[in-house]
Amino acid sequence: MEKTGVSETSKKERRAIRKALVSWFTANQRRLPWRETTDPYHVWVSEVMLQQTQVNTVISYYKRFLDQFPDIFYLAAADAQDVLKCWEGLGYYARARNLHSAARRLVAENQGRIPCEWAAFRKLPGVGDYIASAVLSIAFGKPYPMVDGNVKRVLSRLFAINAPVNRSASYRIFRETARMLLDKTIPGRFNQAVMEVGAIVCKPRRPDCDACPVRRWCRALADDRVAGYPVRIKRTPVPEYRMAIGVVAKGRKLLIVQRPYDGMLGGLWEFPGGVRQSGESAASACARSVGETVGLEVEIESRLTRIRHAYTHFKVVADVFLCRYRGGRVRRNGPIAHQWVLAKGLSRYPLPGSHHKFIPALLENRSI
DNA sequence: AATTCGGGGAG
DNA sequence: CTCCCAGAATT
């Protein structure tokens, strides 16, 4: 039997690994805003933002969010649209909706206190194993292991774990490995130490093994197989959709519609549009989809621009048209709300990242 | 157990 | 371009 798991590591070795990780962290950690505090609300907000999102992207959002919603009571009292506006551009908008919903529930049912017990906190919307472990270990010192992309990468190399990191069945292996390695006397610091090593040293590409505090124990390095970890199963290539978007002008006002709260880009506002059908020109697709989603007759005036945008599971190439309102009354088919707004008023609404690729061009257009 | 949720940075 | 990020909910 090949020696691959943490269970093959002696208790003495595990103690040494823990000490090496935490010592390295003490000397080398980055100063990050959410490390200046152990306030559970602050930790919670930071960890939600950090899901699938890189540290440098989060910093400014984190500061702005806490500036606007300094504690759980401010957040609970806020309008959903204001929370989304604060989240605009960060992506995965269900995170914001769930955080907001959880804050409201705790204020209504728990005097605004964040539960320090696993079961009570874990069942809140948007709180999975990772967030629960993060808040409970960092803010409350509870011994739960955090298992994120960094941790899985570090552990997969350290113990030569061949389970693919992006397969759901592998999760229990990594969680169990992390649990056995966890330093229960300082769980928050230990968890962050592993993640920081993953972010700074044990990087996805070109890991800096020379600087690694646990290189003495790294099975992948010993086998000269570091580049072979973590094991990952390939994703199928994503499809590309051609779309048409209509900026419908009536006088100086433009029509925007709001997407349903569930589903992709939930609650955000956008210009109406749709997917081009095969053999259909972009302009006629624009007129057709505007008719289908808001029931208006429009005349295509000009093509503003073409944008490309990549989502996780598909790509979009969209032609954006300036349209003149010609007739009809708004009858929504899909959107949950609509609004006629001046171009300069667009900034008050949370819009998808794709729209920010053409709104500057829109604002410079003289006919608006 | 796989898929669906954004967007951006690094190479 | 491709990969992947301090994941959770849904199917």
Side-chain angles (χ1 to χ4, degrees), chain A residues 53-73:
Chain A
T53 309
Q54 295 177 347
V55 163
N56 285 332
T57 305
V58 167
I59 293 174
S60 62
Y61 280 91
Y62 173 79
K63 291 177 178 171
R64 206 176 319 129
F65 193 94
L66 288 186
D67 196 48
Q68 193 167 347
F69 313 113
D71 63 38
I72 195 170
F73 298 99

Side-chain angles (χ1 to χ4, degrees), chain A residues 80-201:
Chain A
Q81 279 295 295
D82 293 330
V83 177
L84 271 182
K85 181 64 189 174
C86 203
W87 211 272
E88 182 184 29
L90 200 52
Y92 287 149
Y93 299 95
R95 296 183 294 177
R97 295 199 310 273
N98 286 331
L99 180 61
H100 189 211
S101 164
R104 287 186 161 176
R105 190 177 303 179
L106 290 178
V107 166
E109 300 173 4
N110 205 39
Q111 295 81 46
R113 281 196 290 274
I114 294 171
C116 60
E117 294 300 324
W118 178 274
F121 187 56
R122 174 65 176 78
K123 68 184 177 193
L124 291 167
V127 178
D129 285 357
Y130 172 81
I131 298 280
S133 296
V135 174
L136 292 186
S137 71
I138 296 172
F140 297 118
K142 300 289 182 78
Y144 296 102
M146 294 167 67
V147 179
D148 73 331
N150 287 311
V151 173
K152 286 192 280 192
R153 184 173 56 257
V154 171
L155 295 180
S156 75
R157 287 173 176 159
L158 187 52
F159 300 114
I161 297 170
N162 292 303
V165 289
N166 58 341
R167 172 169 288 171
S168 53
S170 305
Y171 171 64
R172 49 171 289 278
I173 297 173
F174 287 102
R175 186 183 54 185
E176 185 63 12
T177 304
R179 191 187 65 75
M180 292 185 68
L181 196 60
L182 178 65
D183 187 335
K184 296 181 179 178
T185 66
I186 44 170
R189 285 185 59 74
F190 174 83
N191 281 330
Q192 295 186 82
V194 182
M195 290 189 293
E196 192 77 339
V197 168
I200 305 294
V201 178

Side-chain angles (χ1 to χ4, degrees), chain A residues 79-82 84 93-94 97 100 258-269 334-337 350:
Chain A
D79 288 332
Q81 279 295 295
D82 293 330
L84 271 182
Y93 299 95
R97 295 199 310 273
H100 189 211
Q258 189 180 23
R259 299 174 62 94
Y261 274 100
D262 55 339
M264 190 168 173
L265 304 169
L268 270 64
W269 294 76
I336 61 173

Side-chain angles (χ1 to χ4, degrees), chain A residues 278-290:
Chain A
S278 60
E280 186 180 35
S281 76
S284 54
C286 179
R288 175 185 56 76
S289 52
V290 167

